[in-house]
Amino acid sequence: MNDEFIPTLSHATERDIDLLLVEELHSSLEFTTWIAAQAGILSPIASWDVKHSKRRTRSRREIDIFVDIYHQDKSRSAILIENKLDASEQPDQAESYREELATLDGAFQNRSMLITCPEAYSRQHHNFTSKFDSIVSYETISDFFRKLLTEVGSDLVLRYSFRSAILDQAIYKHRRGYTPIPDKVVGDFNAKYVALLAILAPEIIPGPSMRKSANPRESTSMIFDQAASFSKLPEVIRPRRFAHELGRGSEHRANYVAITFAGWGAALPHVLPQLNADASNLGAIFTADKPTKNRPNPGMKMLLPTEPVDNQKDFDKQTESLKAGILKAKELRDWLLSHQEILHTWNMLIKAK
């Protein structure tokens, strides 16, 4: 087994975390006991039941997760769990949870409501999350799974590695309302990349994000300062973006150096044969997103493929691939500077379409 490989979803959604929590609560006494302790419920558990999206008694809304616990001392506890990845609070949402707890008064000796969410969400929506009895962060849950890795047998290692990785993905990459969390490992990698760039291609100027002491974990683009790197190009044919996409070391992700021409994408199907012919000696690939109502004139990418690199792994072990990528960036820049007449021709073709 490759210990460095952790499978993850393409992106973690709120429902992914819902189902992860439901499955673990349903199947693990240890996890259920731990969650109960976070809610202040410490009596030993005899049996329990878990419901997902349980309809509330006094409203049309639903409880994300309902945990019904029978204790060894014959008492009974109810835990209502609201899970939030990035969505805003619904009107009176916490208050309706509290009302639901009140309806359980006769049947349950212990009642508690808690919210699970990333720490960044809790800070950003403190007025909402503080209305719950307990806040259990994704970070805390991920740590719980990681601790289990040292206790479980080999058949469960991948399971808890996967759960921890999914929570990490939700923490670091919210689909909306994203809060970046700097990662020193990525920052250190960037610093070494900048130093190597200065040796191999000093004419390519690092952008501001490359110079930060720490970048978010999902930042996999080396975004150069395109204005400074192409200062000798007239603005009308100067790229809007110039970057080396690292692709997290996977062949199935973006691995290339590319420049982007603003507003050229809509015309690409009409001018592609001419572009391919003009750049045949370079072997560049031209791509563009399809125009949409909100973005009728997308940018057009001109790219050169590179080898996969992972900015969360050892820089020195990937030096040769990084060197090759930087030299590709230099090759692309040099071609543009030496073929300005062609770029002006392309610009005229694009405008004519």
Side-chain angles (χ1 to χ4, degrees):
M1 179 181 68
N2 184 354
D3 293 334
E4 295 183 346
F5 174 74
I6 299 176
T8 57
L9 304 180
S10 59
H11 61 275
T13 68
E14 192 166 274
R15 184 170 176 81
D16 292 328
I17 306 302
D18 275 359
L19 298 180
L20 183 153
L21 294 174
V22 167
E23 181 183 355
E24 200 65 26
L25 285 165
H26 176 78
S27 60
S28 172
L29 173 60
E30 186 170 6
F31 183 69
T32 304
T33 300
W34 181 78
I35 284 289
Q38 308 311 301
I41 299 171
L42 304 176
S43 299
I45 297 174
S47 63
W48 70 99
D49 184 46
V50 183
K51 293 289 189 295
H52 181 236
S53 295
K54 185 179 187 297
R55 189 164 303 281
R56 301 174 188 172
T57 303
R58 295 190 179 183
S59 77
R60 297 181 62 187
R61 295 177 181 170
E62 295 179 339
I63 297 167
D64 283 349
I65 303 172
F66 182 99
V67 186
D68 185 350
I69 299 174
Y70 293 86
H71 296 284
Q72 294 179 12
D73 61 6
K74 307 302 181 183
S75 64
R76 190 178 178 191
S77 297
I79 304 174
L80 312 186
I81 301 176
E82 170 68 14
N83 179 44
K84 287 287 190 185
L85 171 54
D86 50 19
S88 299
E89 170 193 4
Q90 298 175 24
D92 299 322
Q93 189 170 19
E95 287 77 6
S96 65
Y97 264 72
R98 187 68 63 188
E99 290 175 5
E100 184 68 14
L101 278 185
T103 69
L104 304 174
D105 187 45
F108 297 86
Q109 290 71 45
N110 306 293
R111 299 169 305 282
S112 184
M113 55 187 251
L114 62 83
I115 182 168
T116 58
C117 60
E119 288 179 357
Y121 183 95
S122 180
R123 291 193 298 268
Q124 184 179 358
H125 302 276
H126 178 71
N127 289 338
F128 169 53
T129 59
S130 63
K131 295 175 183 178
F132 289 80
D133 297 323
S134 304
I135 302 170
V136 182
S137 71
Y138 286 7
E139 287 84 351
T140 304
I141 300 171
S142 181
D143 287 344
F144 174 85
F145 290 141
R146 284 199 178 92
K147 289 177 181 177
L148 286 180
L149 293 176
T150 63
E151 303 173 7
V152 299
S154 59
D155 58 330
L156 293 177
V157 167
L158 283 178
R159 168 178 168 170
Y160 287 115
S161 294
F162 178 82
R163 278 156 169 66
S164 182
I166 292 300
L167 286 159
D168 285 347
Q169 189 179 54
I171 292 164
Y172 289 108
K173 189 177 182 181
H174 302 176
R175 293 180 302 124
R176 299 180 302 276
Y178 167 62
T179 302
I181 300 177
D183 188 302
K184 189 175 183 300
V185 171
V186 176
D188 291 346
F189 188 101
N190 286 8
K192 291 184 177 182
Y193 186 103
V194 169
L196 185 61
L197 181 68
I199 296 171
L200 297 178
E203 62 274 26
I204 298 178
I205 311 303
S209 64
M210 295 175 64
R211 298 181 180 276
K212 292 182 178 179
S213 59
N215 281 55
R217 184 176 289 188
E218 67 274 16
S219 298
T220 61
S221 302
M222 294 296 174
I223 304 175
F224 309 122
D225 185 330
Q226 100 285 355
S229 300
F230 290 106
S231 60
K232 295 181 181 180
L233 281 182
E235 190 170 348
V236 69
I237 56 171
R238 186 182 300 162
R240 177 189 61 192
R241 190 176 191 269
F242 182 26
H244 181 187
E245 308 293 346
L246 301 182
R248 289 294 307 276
S250 170
E251 293 182 357
H252 302 292
R253 294 173 65 97
N255 298 286
Y256 51 74
V257 293
I259 52 96
T260 303
F261 292 103
W264 286 20
L268 181 60
H270 306 286
V271 301
L272 183 58
Q274 182 67 51
L275 271 57
N276 282 334
D278 290 341
S280 60
N281 63 327
L282 182 64
I285 299 170
F286 298 90
T287 68
D289 294 333
K290 291 184 178 179
T292 64
K293 182 178 180 180
N294 294 329
R295 196 179 181 187
N297 295 307
M300 183 195 77
K301 287 182 182 177
M302 180 181 182
L303 62 89
L304 297 178
T306 59
E307 299 175 27
V309 173
D310 192 337
N311 64 345
Q312 295 178 40
K313 292 185 178 179
D314 192 293
F315 183 95
D316 296 333
K317 291 181 179 179
Q318 304 175 90
T319 299
E320 294 306 314
S321 294
L322 286 159
K323 285 181 178 179
I326 290 174
L327 292 177
K328 283 287 185 181
K330 183 180 186 302
E331 181 182 5
L332 181 57
R333 176 185 177 275
D334 290 348
W335 190 94
L336 266 64
L337 290 175
S338 62
H339 293 79
Q340 295 189 36
E341 291 185 5
I342 288 179
L343 297 182
H344 280 293
T345 300
W346 290 358
N347 184 47
M348 293 174 63
L349 288 173
I350 297 294
K351 288 182 176 179
K353 299 298 179 182

